[in-house]
Amino acid sequence: MTDPMEDLERRVRALEDRLAEAESEGGAGASSSGPALPPGSEDSFWALVGLEERVGPSGAVMLVGSVEVPGSGRAKWQYGLDTETLADRDWASAVPALDALAHPVRLALLKLVFGGVHTTAELTTAAGLGTTGQLHHHLRALISGGWLHTTARGRYEIPADRIVPLLAILTATTT
């Protein structure tokens, strides 16, 4: 059994090391696009520290989020995988989901649906598309990629378990 004081000292040393790295020029600190810490937090690596305490030295990647979705309420989601599992996966299997996002009209449609626009008529008008045929072409790609589903005829929404992953992908492109 680990001595609680030794464990605390080890964790404090690890935090001090991370802080020193973040403050050093060129260190892997908080994102340059803004602070990576919640209001009132003094530890910019609060999520990373918790992840490392759980997974140990092997490493892992985790996505986590709590998002208020207009008209739908709160979406809470977390998912993580150890780096070995990620490295062993067939990365080509991600192509359909990523390909569905690789078009400006599709991203605009997702943004509209996320913002509360859900029907075919609303989406055609709001996206500035000339025909419903163009709209359906893009909607089919988003549905095939798992980013949208139909809740009723002519009504679309982002599945709750895809909201945080979508926002995480968008976040990753802004860092």
Side-chain angles (χ1 to χ4, degrees):
M1 181 169 200
T2 307
D3 179 83
M5 287 305 292
E6 286 179 16
D7 184 53
L8 179 60
E9 289 173 5
R10 178 192 58 78
R11 291 173 58 199
V12 168
R13 277 193 307 277
L15 287 172
E16 289 172 341
D17 291 345
R18 287 187 191 104
L19 181 58
E21 181 181 344
E23 291 176 341
S24 70
E25 193 169 320
S31 166
S32 61
S33 64
L37 54 135
S41 173
E42 295 179 12
D43 179 9
S44 62
F45 295 103
W46 57 275
L48 181 60
V49 169
L51 177 64
E52 287 179 340
E53 286 175 353
R54 288 182 178 260
V55 300
S58 64
V61 174
M62 184 171 201
L63 301 173
V64 60
S66 177
V67 181
E68 185 67 31
V69 182
S72 299
R74 183 157 297 279
K76 294 180 180 183
W77 191 84
Q78 73 176 33
Y79 184 75
L81 287 173
D82 63 271
T83 51
E84 187 176 317
T85 300
L86 282 167
D88 290 344
R89 281 200 165 174
D90 174 19
W91 290 11
S93 66
V95 170
L98 294 173
D99 187 49
L101 297 177
H103 195 286
V105 171
R106 294 178 195 150
L107 289 174
L109 289 170
L110 286 170
K111 186 174 183 180
L112 287 167
V113 173
F114 180 77
V117 177
H118 297 286
T119 67
T120 302
E122 293 171 329
L123 289 168
T124 302
T125 303
L129 296 174
T131 68
T132 56
Q134 292 171 315
L135 174 67
H136 286 290
H137 166 76
H138 292 296
L139 291 173
R140 278 192 303 275
L142 291 167
I143 291 167
S144 293
W147 299 109
L148 282 180
H149 70 239
T150 58
T151 59
R153 184 175 167 92
R155 187 167 178 80
Y156 301 89
E157 71 178 29
I158 301 170
D161 66 345
R162 297 295 268 177
I163 292 170
V164 172
L166 172 63
L167 296 177
I169 289 170
L170 294 170
T171 300
T173 66
T174 62
T175 59

